């Protein structure tokens, strides 16, 4: 107990001296960043699809930002944005989730409140329309942090969370991606040049200066044996504390091995490293060095944003301190 308090004091001191956290709350300018996944995007992109995806990102961004403007907590904003993306079949989360090796949709999600370090996570759910809503219920209304499979769905029933038939999640595009993947040898673990990381996520800074992160995914196409990726694992694909919040997208095994989100946020909050440098180091150096790939979105307590990725593109949208809406897909494409 005493150790915990000492750690908190040290953390507080580092945060304040590094400028990662300011004491001036209550009138913080809100910031929201969302992503719809990183991966090979150019291949298979049509002008119509690009238009649809850009509109979907904007809609999701606006749904969350509206709440921040009303003074609602960052947790509400990230949940709202992620729900909109889960309902859109263009993304690999909720409706439109990728298929497992055995032809099912098994979804993972997590939400984390940076102010309190509370987390809710679910994995391997097959009938929950909005896995992020269930993750939020786990955080708010269960004595646990992480629920999986049938048990998570049992809990969903007690919370009035909407369950749907498995066919709700099926899209022809994802089914064809599975058929393509089945022609390759999954067990070889080789880097697939056509990998699509369509996971969705959001990070937010609210008016009170608090941060939150949320991520939701169908995981990887052709995943095996109840595989769980980084997205629902606190500290791997999703993390938030008082000074930093991250949602990742990419080859999850590498995000788990590097404990990517926690690693970046610790660099920022404990070591005083600037957000973009810390993110660049882990996402664009450490993970590719090990053989992985992907991207991430991050925000710190001052409203600085980082969006590193090492893939062809990353669907992303944000409203920073300037209050201007941006939507981007490829590296140099900012509108
Ligand atoms: N990170 C996710 C996973 O490994 C996949 C993705 O981002 O698309 O489950």
């Amino acid at each position: 107990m005493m150790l915990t308090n000492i750690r908190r004091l040290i953390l507080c001191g580092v945060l304040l001296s590094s400028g990662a956290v300011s004491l001036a709350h209550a009138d913080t300018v809100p910031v929201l960043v969302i992503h719809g996944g990183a991966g090979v995007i150019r291949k298979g992109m049509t002008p119509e699809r690009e238009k649809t995806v850009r509109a979907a990102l904007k809609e999701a961004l606006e749904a969350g930002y509206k709440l921040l403007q009303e003074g609602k907590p960052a947790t509400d904003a990230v949940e709202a944005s992620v729900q909109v993306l889960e309902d859109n079949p263009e993304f690999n989360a909720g409706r439109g989730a990728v298929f497992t090796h055995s032809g099912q949709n098994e979804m993972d999600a997590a939400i984390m409140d940076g102010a309190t370090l509370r987390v809710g996570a679910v994995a391997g759910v097959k009938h929950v329309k909005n896995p992020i809503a269930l993750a939020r219920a786990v955080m708010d209304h269960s004595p646990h942090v992480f629920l999986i499979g049938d048990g998570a769905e049992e809990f969903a029933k007690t919370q009035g969370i909407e369950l749907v038939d498995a066919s709700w999640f099926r899209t022809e595009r994802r089914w064809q991606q599975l058929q393509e993947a089945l022609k390759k040898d999954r067990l070889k673990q080789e880097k697939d040049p056509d990998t699509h990381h369509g996971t969705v996520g959001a990070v937010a800074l609210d008016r009170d200066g608090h941060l939150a992160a949320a991520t939701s995914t169908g995981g990887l196409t052709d995943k095996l044996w109840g595989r769980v990726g980084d997205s629902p694992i606190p500290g791997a694909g999703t993390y938030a504390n008082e000074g930093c919040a991250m949602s990742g997208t990419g080859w999850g095994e590498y995000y788990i091995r590097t404990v990517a989100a926690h690693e970046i946020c610790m660099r920022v909050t404990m070591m005083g490293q600037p957000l973009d440098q810390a993110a660049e180091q882990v996402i664009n150096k450490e993970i590719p060095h090990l053989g992985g790939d992907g991207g991430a979105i991050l925000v710190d307590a001052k409203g600085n944003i980082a969006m590193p990725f090492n893939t062809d593109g990353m669907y992303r949208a944000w409203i920073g301190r300037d209050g201007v809406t941006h939507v981007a897909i490829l590296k140099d494409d900012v509108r």
Side-chain angles (χ1 to χ4, degrees), residues 15-325:
L15 288 173
L16 290 173
S17 61
S18 70
V21 158
S22 76
L23 280 179
H25 287 336
D27 56 353
T28 306
V29 178
V31 171
L32 180 64
V33 190
I34 66 168
H35 72 79
V40 177
I41 283 172
R42 260 178 274 238
K43 194 175 167 188
M45 178 62 88
T46 60
E48 297 74 54
R49 178 141 198 273
E50 181 176 344
K51 213 169 143 204
T52 311
V53 168
R54 283 183 183 276
L57 288 168
K58 193 156 176 281
E59 184 195 345
L61 186 73
E62 282 165 0
Y65 194 71
K66 182 173 162 285
L67 299 179
L68 293 175
Q69 279 180 311
E70 289 167 5
K72 300 265 167 49
T75 43
D76 287 3
V78 292
E79 182 189 354
S81 288
V82 166
Q83 266 208 39
V84 172
L85 295 169
E86 284 179 336
D87 288 340
N88 192 309
E90 290 297 332
F91 304 99
N92 172 20
R95 192 163 183 220
V98 297
F99 284 91
T100 65
H101 186 72
S102 60
Q104 297 187 310
N105 302 113
E106 292 179 3
M107 291 154 289
D108 307 334
I111 186 165
M112 183 154 186
D113 177 6
T116 59
L117 296 186
R118 290 185 315 131
V119 194
V122 295
V125 293
K126 297 181 191 162
H127 303 95
V128 179
K129 183 167 174 277
N130 291 107
I132 199 64
L134 182 56
R136 178 75 191 257
V138 171
M139 179 171 86
D140 287 349
H141 306 299
S142 90
H144 302 304
V145 160
F146 205 150
L147 304 181
I148 61 164
D150 293 346
E153 296 194 355
E154 276 306 306
F155 174 68
K157 287 179 202 157
T158 71
Q159 298 298 303
I161 301 267
E162 190 173 354
L163 297 177
V164 290
D165 187 82
S167 60
W168 164 260
F169 302 103
R170 186 198 156 95
T171 58
E172 190 52 29
R173 192 164 68 94
R174 297 302 187 193
W175 183 252
Q176 289 312 325
Q177 283 174 1
L178 174 64
Q179 304 318 305
E180 284 305 307
L182 288 174
K183 293 179 192 157
K184 300 170 191 161
D185 184 355
R186 191 80 176 101
L187 292 178
K188 278 198 182 140
Q189 294 268 323
E190 279 168 3
K191 190 164 171 175
D192 180 351
D194 284 348
T195 305
H196 300 264
H197 299 302
T199 292
V200 308
V203 291
L205 171 67
D206 66 25
R207 280 206 191 286
D208 291 328
H210 296 145
L211 295 156
T215 313
S216 181
T217 188
L220 297 182
T221 301
D222 196 23
K223 64 184 180 182
L224 300 161
W225 313 302
R227 179 262 189 192
V228 176
D230 59 309
S231 308
I233 299 179
T238 307
Y239 189 75
N241 64 20
E242 293 156 300
C244 164
M246 165 169 150
S247 168
T249 165
W251 196 345
E253 277 70 10
Y254 292 88
Y255 284 66
I256 298 171
R257 286 168 59 189
T258 54
V259 202
H262 185 261
E263 170 68 27
I264 295 172
C265 287
M266 283 301 113
R267 284 169 184 250
V268 172
T269 55
M270 297 298 281
M271 290 156 63
Q273 207 174 340
L275 187 77
D276 53 350
Q277 280 179 29
E280 179 68 20
Q281 190 66 35
V282 176
I283 302 296
N284 284 343
K285 297 220 165 69
E286 231 177 278
I287 287 177
H289 178 73
L290 292 173
D293 66 354
I297 52 169
L298 299 105
V299 63
D300 70 15
K302 293 203 136 190
N304 296 311
I305 291 171
M307 298 174 288
F309 59 94
N310 46 65
T311 47
D312 184 32
M314 179 169 77
Y315 296 119
R316 58 203 189 280
W318 67 98
I319 299 178
R321 282 176 300 215
D322 60 2
V324 179
T325 300

